[in-house]
Amino acid sequence: MSVTPKRALAEISLGSSVKISTLSDGNLSLPPEMVFGEMPQSKLTELMAKRSITLTKYEPECNVTLYRDGTNTVLFDVGAGPDFMPASGKLSESLSAMGLSPEEVTHVIFTHAHPDHIWGVLDDFDDPLFPNAMHHFGRKEWDYWWNPSTVDSIGADLASFAVGAKRRMEVIEDRVELFDDGQDILPGIAARASYGHTPGHMTFELRNGSEPAMIVGDALGNPHVAFERPDWHSGTDQDPVAAAAARISLLDQIAHDHMKIIGFHLPNGGIGRVERSESNYRFIGEPS
Ligand SMILES: [Zn+2]
């Protein structure tokens, strides 16, 4: 299935000066068992039946977040570029539909270095696509993918992820700044560790005015199981135990602080909120 990019998928304002838009990079197509195979299957079927979902195919959206505060034009992740999957890599078209050129992007901030989040950082000539942007990585995430032994330790299934990340990181190395957990990357944008999906996966707290928001990347990678059973292990998490702990901690904070949530693979642009019930959580999408 191919997705035709349009203008922003969803938009919200934070305070009087910050505008958040989510832009489509298209979608992935994954075998459902790759994500859900490790979960208790009869309970999973029950959970999905309640929501009238049949898991014969799994084609999650990819939503890149654009943050504009009047001075900075920031992208959170850059999508997959042309080489990963046929229906992904649409960010450039979505940016131009917004009337924005890659040259106008001042900062790129990465949640993690999986292909659907970083492979779009280069153009067709393998040069940086965002020539005027500083590129920001969590130090732990950068060190993991930069390490030449990662390709041997990550396992055969993900070896291409390691090669693909390193190749791109080498091109952008001289325009990279590293940040640590808790650090303010820009005014109003703070890093929050959420390790597990990848060894150094980061989420971002946006605190501008009275309405806080959290960009969760792949720490909350789907709108159903990740919220209703954050304790279940997902096949796409490199450290499933740490990823489950990160989900539970994030959901607790987002619900408690009444934060907006912005998710890379959540539906309809991925902006919404989290509702807590007595035993679990629910993703409530913003009406678009
Ligand atoms: Zn992803």
Side-chain angles (χ1 to χ4, degrees):
M1 186 181 78
S2 105
V3 170
T4 308
K6 48 187 180 189
R7 291 177 63 86
L9 295 167
E11 286 192 327
I12 52 170
S13 298
L14 302 178
S16 56
S17 58
V18 173
K19 186 159 197 180
I20 304 277
S21 315
T22 51
L23 308 184
S24 179
D25 189 53
N27 65 278
L28 304 181
S29 183
L30 304 173
E33 60 276 14
M34 188 177 144
V35 184
F36 306 104
E38 299 297 311
M39 297 173 183
Q41 293 300 303
S42 65
K43 287 184 180 164
L44 176 69
T45 308
E46 210 177 287
L47 188 155
M48 292 298 182
K50 263 198 306 189
R51 296 167 152 268
S52 309
I53 296 171
T54 317
L55 278 179
T56 48
K57 59 178 184 172
Y58 187 56
E59 297 180 336
E61 290 180 15
C62 299
N63 306 312
V64 172
T65 300
L66 170 68
Y67 171 109
R68 287 175 290 178
D69 63 9
T71 306
N72 303 301
T73 299
V74 184
L75 289 178
F76 289 87
D77 297 331
V78 293
D83 302 330
F84 185 48
M85 287 189 182
S88 60
K90 314 290 186 197
L91 176 63
S92 291
E93 293 163 57
S94 296
L95 271 175
S96 76
M98 294 281 291
L100 276 172
S101 73
E103 286 77 14
E104 290 174 83
V105 175
T106 58
H107 303 267
V108 176
I109 302 176
F110 291 96
T111 59
H112 67 296
H114 277 168
D116 50 325
H117 300 256
I118 188 186
W119 282 19
V121 78
L122 303 184
D123 66 15
D124 293 345
F125 303 97
D126 278 355
D127 290 321
L129 178 60
F130 306 100
N132 302 318
M134 185 54 75
H135 295 61
H136 302 262
F137 272 88
R139 189 179 308 279
K140 194 169 173 191
E141 185 71 357
W142 177 272
D143 288 349
Y144 174 75
W145 297 100
W146 189 257
N147 186 338
S149 69
T150 293
V151 67
D152 300 318
S153 62
I154 197 169
D157 287 354
L158 299 185
S160 65
F161 287 18
V163 172
K166 182 84 192 294
R167 180 167 85 72
R168 288 162 178 85
M169 290 160 75
E170 283 168 359
V171 177
I172 59 169
E173 185 191 4
D174 63 352
R175 50 191 85 206
V176 165
E177 263 182 17
L178 303 182
F179 59 82
D180 294 300
D181 182 24
Q183 188 175 327
D184 282 338
I185 301 165
L186 289 170
I189 303 177
R192 183 199 192 281
S194 48
Y195 307 150
H197 180 68
T198 59
H201 186 282
M202 295 303 266
T203 51
F204 302 100
E205 282 189 37
L206 309 181
R207 298 218 177 250
N208 294 278
S210 56
E211 279 202 285
M214 185 85 81
I215 293 176
V216 298
D218 285 9
L220 290 156
N222 63 67
H224 29 69
V225 180
F227 290 78
E228 291 193 36
R229 292 307 305 252
D231 56 321
W232 284 357
H233 290 180
S234 163
T236 49
D237 291 335
Q238 288 183 236
D239 179 342
V241 175
R247 272 194 294 278
I248 291 165
S249 157
L250 270 173
L251 286 167
D252 182 60
Q253 182 186 350
I254 293 167
H256 179 270
D257 291 356
H258 302 289
M259 302 176 91
K260 292 270 178 97
I261 178 173
I262 306 164
F264 195 87
H265 296 301
L266 298 181
N268 303 316
I271 301 181
R273 59 192 171 83
V274 174
E275 227 174 57
R276 192 201 304 256
S277 70
E278 62 290 351
S279 60
N280 61 19
Y281 298 89
R282 262 183 95 80
F283 173 68
I284 314 287
E286 286 272 307
S288 49

